[in-house]
Amino acid sequence: MRKTVQELMECYQDQKLDITDKFVDGVCYTKIEGKDKTLYLTVKYDNGYAVSDNKYISPDEFNMTND
């Protein structure tokens, strides 16, 4: 289930995370641990992100185009 940016930031709870150097082949996988839950965040460099409560989302599963 996709989370809104607001839900992501509420879980993030004022933490700061620098993912600048965590990209491998244009994708970064990172875990955000909050007080009540953990979110798994997949970020594409310059192409959005996806969030899940239980696993990392494959970069092939979001921001797809029909070119």
Side-chain angles (χ1 to χ4, degrees):
M1 182 170 114
R2 279 190 75 103
K3 301 289 183 187
T4 65
V5 173
Q6 181 179 357
E7 289 173 312
L8 176 63
M9 295 310 288
E10 287 171 4
C11 182
Y12 205 43
Q13 299 168 343
D14 296 324
Q15 298 178 55
K16 293 185 186 210
L17 180 64
D18 183 1
I19 61 170
T20 305
D21 297 329
K22 294 186 177 191
F23 285 88
V24 175
D25 296 327
V27 178
C28 170
Y29 298 94
T30 191
K31 184 168 41 172
I32 301 172
E33 297 186 54
K35 291 179 185 174
D36 299 325
K37 59 184 165 183
T38 298
L39 297 179
Y40 296 87
L41 179 65
T42 305
V43 182
K44 289 183 184 178
Y45 189 80
D46 284 334
N47 199 11
Y49 70 93
V51 180
S52 172
D53 289 338
N54 55 13
K55 67 173 185 144
Y56 292 110
I57 307 262
S58 169
D60 297 332
E61 295 181 46
F62 65 98
N63 292 341
M64 295 183 289
T65 61
N66 294 322
D67 294 335

